[in-house]
Amino acid sequence: MTERLRRGFRRLRLGTRLALGLGALSLVVFAVVGAALTTYMRDYLTHQLDDQLGLAQVAQSKSIAETGTLQGKKYYRWYYAVYDVSGGSPELRSPEESGDLPRDIAPFASLAERQLSAGTEVLRTVRLADKGEYRLRACAVKPGVVLVSAAPTDDVDDTMGRLIGFQVVAFALALAVLVECGRRMLRRGLNPLSDMAHTAHGIASHDLTESAARLPIRAGQRGGGPEVEELRTAFNTMLEHIDDSLAVRAEAERRLRRFVADASHELRTPLMSVRGYADLFQYAAADAPGEREKHLARLRAEAARMGVLLDDLLLLARLDAPEVDAPLSHQEADLVPVVEDAVAAFRAGHPDRPLTLVSPTGPLLLRMDPDRVRQVLDNLLTNAAVHTPAGTPVSVEVTRGQDVAVVEVEDAGPGIPPVDRPKVFDRFYRVDKARTRDRGGSGLGLSVARSLVDAHGGSIALDSRPGATRFTVTLPLRGVPRPR
């Protein structure tokens, strides 16, 4: 039975359980207050009855002392007994009237004997046979004579009965009102928690496996106090983080699909070329010495192109993998010679493009991988050559900033359209939407450059407008890679 009640209590809502708990606590408080009030009232009424007995005995004692008999006013249902105690034990005098004594007089004699030994008035509450409870008072009338009076306690009992009944009704009504009002207030205060539960159920019904899954649901109901508000804020913040994580996951999946599609597209062309030249040799269509050398040269070029593409993809994969160390060989090196070598190589490969170099006179020491920094510069210079008309001036400037080294590569070409600027560092992204290769490149050069700069703890920025496109590479002088 107890276990069943316990299970039933656990199934109740939190607001109802708290209201019942408040009601139980209030019931204990009401019981304590009621008991204290009842005890105080009974003591007060009993004391008044004792005073009434004392006043009555004063007049009766005077009559007994003067006349030897009990005269004066007698109260209805009161009893009186006069005892001679001069002999050391109480001896009852004959009553003046038969109604002055009850049939059960043993308590009267006992109280008279106790008064004799105590030497002062004695009070006691006793139950007389067939009469009910009485309040007895014994006092000395004169030496050797004791008067015992008894007054019924019916009025006190009736008053206490009415008081207890009133308390029970009043406390029951107050308890009912308290429980109901407490339940309503608690339910109202806990409504934000119900709203959060409803929100959680709504989230559970979403298919989070969808790549475009979002969590537009939020717990918006306010109230419930600072603690509930804090919980609601934390709950919504958690949902924001989950929503952002889902968005990042969806974007990563989209980029992965695009990456796979672009990689497949880029690898398909050289593979098809290699396959075509293999077919030519298989069917002896290129047996002539001149044709053979020409096709072998093209075959080697396609294989080299495919190798460069695979190298770039492998480098990006290793730079992206957090559990794999970046493929960098850090050492203390001077940045200026690295930039000068990149500029010299560009001038040799593109003699039709004027290039100016501005660099500091002294060394610019960094902790870096010189080969990878050279690769970044080569990619930026190649990008300037590929996407600008012949004869377009190019400039490279190396400066020292506060704890950083800055390399700016600028060309005077037509610039990058505003819609394409946020995406130029994306992998396989080309401003040329037709994916033609007459202007070269696989769309990985700037992606590789940004990843390598990030691996060095630096940053790369783009500023482009018609007539000027500038890439700014910032590398820390101390060479401490920033968290990625």
Side-chain angles (χ1 to χ4, degrees):
M1 182 64 179
T2 304
E3 186 62 27
R4 183 181 302 174
L5 291 176
R6 187 177 301 172
R7 288 197 300 267
F9 181 77
R10 290 173 180 172
R11 285 195 295 265
L12 296 177
R13 295 183 66 85
L14 178 59
T16 303
R17 292 167 62 179
L18 291 176
L20 291 177
L22 178 62
L25 180 61
S26 302
L27 182 61
V28 174
V29 173
F30 289 162
V32 172
V33 172
L37 180 61
T38 302
T39 302
Y40 171 78
M41 185 59 66
R42 179 175 286 277
D43 291 342
Y44 175 76
L45 294 178
T46 302
H47 183 70
Q48 282 191 326
L49 184 59
D50 294 341
D51 291 343
Q52 190 177 1
L53 279 169
L55 291 175
Q57 285 185 335
V58 169
Q60 293 166 352
S61 297
K62 185 178 181 181
S63 174
I64 295 173
E66 292 178 352
T67 64
T69 61
L70 181 60
Q71 296 179 355
K73 183 178 179 181
K74 298 180 181 179
Y75 295 95
Y76 175 69
R77 294 184 60 201
W78 283 39
Y79 296 109
Y80 310 93
V82 181
Y83 287 90
D84 290 321
V85 294
S86 57
S89 61
E91 294 182 4
L92 179 63
R93 290 183 181 182
S94 298
E96 295 181 357
E97 299 177 5
S98 59
D100 287 349
L101 287 175
R103 288 182 296 176
D104 183 11
I105 63 172
F108 288 76
S110 174
L111 193 63
E113 185 176 0
R114 183 175 178 185
Q115 194 281 332
L116 177 62
S117 62
T120 183
E121 63 272 7
V122 180
L123 294 164
R124 181 186 295 175
T125 300
V126 299
R127 176 173 290 277
L128 301 179
D130 300 330
K131 297 300 182 180
E133 285 193 354
Y134 272 73
R135 185 68 172 172
L136 275 63
R137 186 178 191 273
C139 67
V141 175
K142 60 182 182 178
V145 179
V146 174
L147 171 62
V148 180
S149 301
T153 61
D154 294 348
D155 292 339
V156 175
D157 295 337
D158 291 342
T159 302
M160 296 307 302
R162 288 194 295 270
L163 176 62
I164 293 174
F166 174 78
Q167 288 179 348
V168 169
V169 174
F171 288 165
L173 291 176
L175 183 62
V177 172
L178 180 64
V179 170
E180 181 61 23
C181 293
R183 187 177 66 86
R184 292 178 181 271
M185 292 178 62
L186 288 170
R187 178 177 295 179
R188 183 177 180 181
L190 294 176
N191 273 341
L193 297 181
S194 300
D195 181 52
M196 292 181 209
H198 179 73
T199 302
H201 286 302
I203 294 172
S205 64
H206 276 68
D207 185 7
L208 300 182
T209 60
E210 293 290 336
S211 59
R214 301 285 293 180
L215 297 176
I217 304 175
R218 296 293 184 271
Q221 186 167 354
R222 298 185 177 273
E227 294 81 3
V228 178
E229 282 290 323
E230 184 178 355
L231 177 61
R232 183 189 63 80
T233 302
F235 185 76
N236 285 338
T237 303
M238 178 190 68
L239 293 182
E240 291 289 344
H241 287 318
I242 295 175
D243 207 12
D244 293 341
S245 299
L246 290 175
V248 171
R249 187 191 72 176
E251 177 64 19
E253 291 180 353
R254 184 188 66 80
R255 293 178 62 183
L256 178 61
R257 287 194 294 268
R258 178 182 169 186
F259 179 83
V260 172
D262 289 340
S264 301
H265 179 84
E266 294 296 332
L267 290 172
R268 187 191 320 175
T269 301
L271 286 175
M272 291 297 293
S273 298
V274 170
R275 182 178 178 181
Y277 290 126
D279 291 341
L280 286 176
F281 284 104
Q282 179 180 3
Y283 296 108
D287 286 342
E291 290 293 323
R292 183 185 304 112
E293 293 300 327
K294 181 178 67 173
H295 293 310
L296 284 175
R298 290 179 180 176
L299 184 61
R300 284 192 293 268
E302 292 295 335
R305 178 182 165 197
M306 186 166 56
V308 170
L309 178 60
L310 290 176
D311 289 341
D312 287 342
L313 291 176
L314 180 59
L315 176 61
L316 288 172
R318 294 181 64 186
L319 290 173
D320 287 343
E323 68 278 1
V324 178
D325 293 336
L328 303 178
S329 299
H330 289 284
Q331 56 182 286
E332 196 80 15
D334 188 0
L335 178 62
V336 175
V338 176
V339 177
E340 292 175 348
D341 290 344
V343 168
F346 180 82
R347 286 171 176 168
H350 304 83
D352 59 332
R353 297 176 186 273
L355 188 149
T356 59
L357 171 64
V358 179
S359 61
T361 56
L364 193 54
L365 298 178
L366 282 76
R367 183 163 181 78
M368 62 179 180
D369 185 336
D371 294 335
R372 294 304 184 184
V373 173
R374 168 67 185 275
Q375 184 177 358
V376 172
L377 298 174
D378 289 341
N379 287 356
L380 294 178
L381 290 171
T382 301
N383 182 77
V386 169
H387 295 91
T388 58
T392 301
V394 180
S395 64
V396 178
E397 183 177 1
V398 183
T399 57
R400 179 194 297 267
Q402 185 176 3
D403 296 331
V404 294
V406 180
V407 180
E408 294 182 350
V409 179
E410 183 175 357
D411 64 69
I416 301 175
V419 68
D420 294 316
R421 292 172 193 169
K423 304 177 182 180
V424 293
F425 293 105
D426 292 349
R427 297 171 187 181
F428 295 111
Y429 186 82
R430 294 192 190 88
V431 177
D432 178 15
K433 302 300 188 299
R435 295 183 178 269
T436 58
R437 291 172 181 74
D438 55 348
R439 302 179 71 179
S442 62
L444 291 177
L446 293 181
S447 298
V448 171
R450 183 180 66 175
S451 297
L452 287 174
V453 171
D454 289 342
H456 279 82
S459 62
I460 183 170
L462 167 67
D463 181 21
S464 180
R465 60 186 184 276
T469 297
R470 181 189 305 114
F471 288 92
T472 303
V473 178
T474 303
L475 297 173
L477 291 176
R478 298 178 181 178
V480 179
R482 296 179 302 185
R484 294 173 54 208

